[in-house]
Amino acid sequence: MDATQILQAVLYILNPLSLHENTTSTTPAPQSPPGPSPKIASHSAGSSDALALSLPRMLFMLLSASAVWDWAKLLLIGALVEGLRRTLRTAWDKFNKSLWVTATFEFDDHAADWLMHWLSKKKAFQSARDIEVSTRSGTIDDLGDNDNQEAEDNVVFLPSTAQTYSLWYKRCYIMISRDRVMNGGPFGRPKDYIQIRMLTRSPALLRELLREARKGYKAANEHLIEVSVAEDGDRWRRVVMQTKRSPSSVILDPGVLELVLNDARDFLSSKKWYADRGIPFRRGYLLHGAPGAGKTSMIHTIAGELGLSVYILSLTVGGLNDNSLKSLISHLPKSCIVLMEDIDAAFTRSIKRDILDPEAHPPSSSVPEDNGDASSNAVREMQTGGVTLSGLLNALDGIAAQEGRILFATTNSYGALDPALLRPGRLDLHVEFHLASTYQAKELFKRFYTCAPSEGSSHLAVDDEKTEADSGSGDPGANSLPSPAGAPYPSGTIPMPEGVSSVYPGGSVHDSRASNISEKQVAALAERFAEIVPPRMFSMATLQGYLMAYKTRPHAAVDEAALWVQKKTKDRLVPASASRTDSSGGVTVAGRSPVADRSP
């Protein structure tokens, strides 16, 4: 169908009579019976001219039809109305936005934590009729009957999704809403957002609110450390808020903790120095040596002293590869502590690593030698799949590596690490942890039996002679609990039932939590205890486990120490003379020899 036929059909619909007249007038008269005649060709040419002239006539008739103009008027009026509606809508949106200040927060972001803490203090959801209820520590209890923010049963009111809440702040009307968005389609992980809208033309009030919320949150959590773990390969998730530990609570050889802490402080204050010399602003520490010697406690203390959050990254987690490792490192905050525990495990083919017990097999030197045998090379081989050694090296000091962070890596097998990982710029300071020295054993004993004022240490005001007389045989809890006949340990603990074993000898349940002896007596007993326990023979965790069985019985702990040492020595796989080799503890800087231990 050509254009002429289409116009004819349209005209017929509009005015069939006029189209019929027009076609009739242009139709030629009937001809004579067919035959050879010269008039046939002229007639055909005339018919073609008539059809050619009918096209403009049909256009003219189409435009002259009254229905066409009516339609055009309706179209024009509709376009004007729609344009006006859109213009008014745009103007109203601009006017409405000029009256409100809007801010959107990711629900798992730090700023959202500030806001939720601020809303809890303002009791924003106390009168809400549609809320979500959660229990988590580190927040204000919305029930109003618990002042301890670290309590596990704190009830927190959260805004429900697709709901709007309102409150007033400095005579400003505020609206709060929470939305949930599915990322990655129907099978993706949902992500929540909190939006706050303030009826004000000045954004200064929003900044003032955020400053107040941040200040209140930091003041309420200044004694806590935020601990996060890797999640989904490229995201961090906060798991717990740990209480800070004071340096006095960590018992290491003199100077070890102070050296690392001062070095980390100096690093954080040297950003301009690094930038002026074109050195990447990163610092790495390797803590290696005996298990249970205090590596994790040292990191916990340093994080609390520096006020930094801890991000735990396990290289053996499922689904982690070189790309996701780079993404995790790039998503770290500017200043934080990254903890890679057991970094040697990521490059060992077998799940069970060949690590000797240092208490049973003490090392002959601080740094195990690599003789290049097959077993040593197998340890350094990369694990099939997951993170490769080159991927780890690029994540630590590659072009996409995060600056400003402090890396702590721990290992119990120093010789299993590749030399490329140990060079300066990746792991700058190497700190070796040995078994407990005489100094550590003495300080641990003091820490156990020196009562703090909060423990009801009114007994400490009593003079030494009276305390010794009141304690009878030197064991203040000797008569508190009955002792069964033939009990291997003095009374004061609940005996273990038959068929039940414990890592603590004789059980560890006591009727009291504080001893009633003076600090002078504790110091004297600590000296005796340190003389009985051989140096560099037990880890701090082992000694702590022994003292746990004598929480309130320091005299018994000293009296039974010799038998305990003798029993532990017999359980060794090697002779006691070899186990009691005193290996000098100390600190090594990458590329230098160990510094001698300064402990007594």
Side-chain angles (χ1 to χ4, degrees), residues 32 65 83 149 157 240 253 304 378 384 428 456 493 536 556:
S32 59
Q149 295 188 14
F157 292 161
V240 71
D253 286 327
T384 56
D428 306 277
T493 60
R536 308 300 184 191

Side-chain angles (χ1 to χ4, degrees), residues 256-275:
V256 176
L257 176 61
E258 291 78 7
L259 173 65
V260 180
L261 181 58
N262 293 333
D263 186 88
R265 279 201 181 107
D266 179 73
F267 164 76
L268 294 177
S269 61
S270 305
K271 183 177 181 179
K272 186 177 184 304
W273 187 91
Y274 278 78

Side-chain angles (χ1 to χ4, degrees), residues 157-173:
F157 292 161
L158 303 178
S160 298
T161 57
Q163 297 292 328
T164 303
Y165 308 86
S166 61
L167 72 154
W168 292 87
Y169 173 70
K170 294 186 177 181
R171 294 180 296 180
C172 176
Y173 184 72

Side-chain angles (χ1 to χ4, degrees), residues 187-515:
F187 301 103
R189 193 177 188 88
K191 195 170 186 177
D192 290 356
Y193 296 89
I194 293 181
Q195 187 179 82
I196 177 173
R197 303 183 65 195
M198 309 180 68
L199 186 58
T200 178
R201 293 179 57 84
S202 175
L205 192 61
L206 174 63
R207 297 187 181 94
E208 184 177 351
L209 186 151
L210 291 179
R211 282 193 294 265
E212 180 180 334
R214 182 180 61 182
K215 182 179 179 180
Y217 181 84
K218 288 186 175 181
N221 298 277
E222 62 181 356
H223 63 291
L224 299 175
I225 300 174
E226 180 179 326
V227 180
S228 303
V229 297
E231 184 184 56
D232 293 342
D234 60 349
R235 291 182 60 86
W236 296 97
R237 178 174 61 90
R238 186 180 63 187
V239 292
V240 71
M241 299 289 287
Q242 291 281 4
T243 304
K244 294 181 179 179
R245 295 185 60 174
S246 63
S248 60
S249 65
V250 181
I251 305 174
L252 300 174
D253 286 327
V256 176
L257 176 61
E258 291 78 7
L259 173 65
V260 180
L261 181 58
N262 293 333
D263 186 88
R265 279 201 181 107
D266 179 73
F267 164 76
L268 294 177
S269 61
S270 305
K271 183 177 181 179
K272 186 177 184 304
W273 187 91
Y274 278 78
D276 293 341
R277 288 154 181 80
I279 303 175
F281 187 53
R282 295 185 287 267
R283 192 69 170 169
Y285 302 91
L286 176 64
L287 311 183
H288 64 97
K295 296 187 287 291
T296 304
S297 299
M298 179 182 182
I299 297 172
H300 192 168
T301 301
I302 292 177
E305 288 295 305
L306 301 179
L308 300 178
S309 301
V310 178
Y311 291 79
I312 302 177
L313 177 58
S314 176
L315 299 180
T316 58
V317 67
L320 186 66
N321 52 36
D322 291 346
N323 292 329
S324 57
L325 177 62
K326 291 180 182 179
S327 180
L328 281 171
I329 297 297
S330 63
H331 282 85
L332 289 170
K334 295 180 180 179
S335 296
C336 66
I337 289 179
V338 183
L339 174 57
M340 294 185 181
E341 293 184 317
D342 297 329
I343 193 172
D344 58 294
F347 309 106
T348 306
R349 287 187 179 273
S350 60
I351 298 178
K352 182 179 180 181
R353 293 171 293 159
D354 186 15
I355 300 177
L356 298 178
D357 183 5
E359 294 185 2
H361 304 274
S364 58
S365 62
S366 59
V367 180
E369 296 181 357
D370 183 11
N371 54 10
D373 57 4
S375 60
S376 176
N377 295 333
V379 171
R380 293 182 180 177
E381 289 182 348
M382 296 177 297
Q383 183 182 9
T384 56
V387 179
T388 63
L389 178 60
S390 61
L392 176 61
L393 298 180
N394 290 329
L396 294 181
D397 63 351
I399 191 172
Q402 182 77 346
E403 294 196 356
R405 55 102 180 117
I406 297 177
L407 171 65
F408 278 94
T410 65
T411 179
N412 296 328
S413 180
Y414 188 88
L417 300 180
D418 193 280
L421 188 63
L422 303 177
R423 73 165 178 80
R426 291 168 180 162
L427 295 174
D428 306 277
L429 192 64
H430 302 176
V431 184
E432 183 175 11
F433 286 73
H434 294 276
L435 299 177
S437 63
T438 301
Y439 169 81
Q440 290 178 288
K442 180 173 61 177
E443 292 299 317
L444 179 63
F445 191 94
K446 291 180 179 179
R447 192 69 45 79
F448 250 81
Y449 301 109
T450 300
C451 301
S454 59
E455 296 179 352
S457 56
S458 59
H459 300 287
L460 299 181
V462 184
D463 57 353
D464 298 343
E465 292 78 11
K466 184 176 185 301
T467 304
E468 186 71 23
D470 292 341
S471 59
S473 62
D475 187 1
N479 300 321
S480 57
L481 291 175
S483 177
Y489 294 93
S491 60
T493 60
I494 296 179
M496 299 296 295
E498 184 179 357
V500 179
S501 60
S502 172
V503 295
Y504 305 130
S508 61
V509 180
H510 301 264
D511 62 336
S512 176
R513 287 294 181 270
S515 60

